[in-house]
Amino acid sequence: MKKKLFSLCLAVILIFSILPTATFAETNTVTVASDADWAAFCANATENANATLQITADFHMGGVQFPEEFTGTVYGNGHTVTFGTDTAENWACALFAKFAGTAYDLILGNDNDSTDKISTGKTGEISGAFANQVTGDAAFYNLINKAYVVTAKANYHVGGLVGIIKGSNATVIFENCQNACVNSTGVVAKQASARGGGLVGVVTGTNVNLTFRNCANNGKVTAANAQAASIGGFVGYWKSANGSLTFDRCVNSYSINQVKGPMA
């Protein structure tokens, strides 16, 4: 009897040994509580591209941008990231170059500091306070822009949170987000053919489905040049074939200078 029981147990062990083993992707959790922590996070961009980022204190990003496409999750925990410097040559850039993840509860910029500025001249043609580009499915909850975001050259584009949404078959959601830069110049399409939006500068690509829910433009959006292509309270320019744009309980409560072009 004992021999039969031993044989049965051995057979069960052998069966389980040849079954496929489930594998689970590990998520890297990184805590940022200072300027140095942010710089270190960006320096290890490949390793941290799908991380869970926990921001546990206010910090100054110092012109250091996360250079890879970020597909993880950002928890801002209600903290503030500041950007600016005193000269146009050293103006800061968005936190992320490319973003296709989820972000929660973050304040971007200090509306009471006239030097807290973000410029497209720092990293290229497109910029926003949070990300230059959204490149796939993404969701933003409780993000507030208070920084001055401005184009540096003609044909450059800016948004309060995101410079451009591009790609194919992307679903992007903004919920309880706002542009709230009032005291400084706000979001500015400064040169000819530039575009600017309170939350998003430009939307292109195919089948981009964009939803704003409980969002607000409570800040300035300005075309500082009469030849600026278009500006809008939420989106500066829309050109997404077969896409959709949905507003659910949203409000623009601030004047928009020189409203023009295909905007929202």
Side-chain angles (χ1 to χ4, degrees), residues 65 92 166 181 234:
Q65 184 179 76
K166 62 190 303 185
C181 186
F234 292 90

Side-chain angles (χ1 to χ4, degrees), residues 225-251:
N225 188 300
Q227 299 304 314
S230 59
I231 61 172
F234 292 90
V235 179
Y237 182 78
W238 175 274
K239 191 179 180 181
S240 176
N242 302 316
S244 65
L245 176 59
T246 302
F247 294 95
D248 181 6
R249 291 164 292 177
C250 296
V251 61

Side-chain angles (χ1 to χ4, degrees), residues 168-238:
S168 300
N169 303 311
T171 297
V172 181
I173 298 171
F174 290 85
E175 185 169 315
N176 297 320
C177 294
Q178 62 174 303
N179 173 46
C181 186
V182 177
N183 292 331
S184 58
T185 312
V187 178
V188 184
K190 193 173 182 180
Q191 291 82 12
S193 301
R195 297 181 172 102
L199 293 180
V200 178
V202 175
V203 180
T204 64
T206 304
N207 293 324
V208 174
N209 298 299
L210 174 59
T211 298
F212 294 99
R213 185 177 298 119
N214 294 325
C215 292
N217 174 47
N218 295 320
K220 299 177 183 178
V221 183
T222 303
N225 188 300
Q227 299 304 314
S230 59
I231 61 172
F234 292 90
V235 179
Y237 182 78
W238 175 274

